[in-house]
Amino acid sequence: MEKLFLSMLFAPIFMLSNCVSSAQSDDTIPPSYTESTMITILFSDAKALEEEHSYYDALLELQTQHPDKIPSFQVVEAEDKDRIKQFEIETFPTMLILTGEDIHLRMEGPQAKDDILTKLNHTFQIQMNHIGL
């Protein structure tokens, strides 16, 4: 039963395209990332996965609706102490949308999927308008 729950919880993670896990790479950022590229980073803790599903659901829904406009997505695990310290993460989950060192959105702790979607849409819309897309 627990394996079924975990597989259902992790299914959206594997379905997201452009995903990079910091645990799978020596690099801390995706290879396609530059200082002018927007990226979404989700700080995850395996001990609190049930609180993260709404983030994955919202990102998956947004990517399904707008596949060509959603920036790459990276999961940083709680064990990555350097990245946790770099971004001053104290709560899991925490999601950041950033370009270079400019943070456009920071969401911390459990959130409702609809709230996440609203904030993501707003953030991505502002940034797309800013760069003229």
Side-chain angles (χ1 to χ4, degrees):
M1 183 69 151
E2 185 175 324
K3 287 182 182 181
L4 177 63
F5 173 73
L6 288 175
S7 66
M8 289 174 48
L9 184 62
F10 283 112
I13 298 170
F14 298 114
M15 293 171 52
L16 289 170
S17 64
N18 295 326
C19 290
V20 176
S21 173
S22 64
Q24 297 175 351
S25 171
D26 290 338
D27 300 329
T28 57
I29 55 176
S32 61
Y33 181 75
T34 65
E35 288 296 315
S36 62
T37 303
M38 186 184 293
I39 185 170
T40 301
I41 303 174
L42 180 66
F43 293 86
S44 173
D45 186 351
K47 298 172 189 166
L49 289 177
E50 65 278 353
E51 297 175 352
E52 299 175 8
H53 69 88
S54 58
Y55 286 90
Y56 294 116
D57 291 345
L59 286 162
L60 184 60
E61 184 173 324
L62 196 61
Q63 186 157 25
T64 301
Q65 294 172 354
H66 309 285
D68 56 334
K69 295 184 180 177
I70 304 305
S72 62
F73 177 79
Q74 179 182 23
V75 176
V76 175
E77 297 174 10
E79 293 80 26
D80 189 343
K81 301 300 183 194
D82 292 336
R83 294 296 299 260
I84 301 300
K85 184 177 178 180
Q86 176 186 0
F87 291 102
E88 300 174 357
I89 304 302
E90 297 177 4
T91 304
F92 293 94
T94 293
M95 183 173 63
L96 302 177
I97 299 175
L98 55 111
T99 304
E101 294 191 19
D102 296 328
I103 297 176
H104 307 292
L105 177 68
R106 183 181 190 110
M107 294 183 72
E108 298 177 322
Q111 303 277 333
K113 179 181 126 183
D114 290 339
D115 293 339
I116 297 168
L117 273 171
T118 299
K119 290 176 184 176
L120 288 172
N121 275 311
H122 181 72
T123 301
F124 292 140
Q125 187 62 40
I126 288 173
Q127 293 308 311
M128 295 303 151
N129 288 341
H130 178 69
I131 61 174
L133 293 178

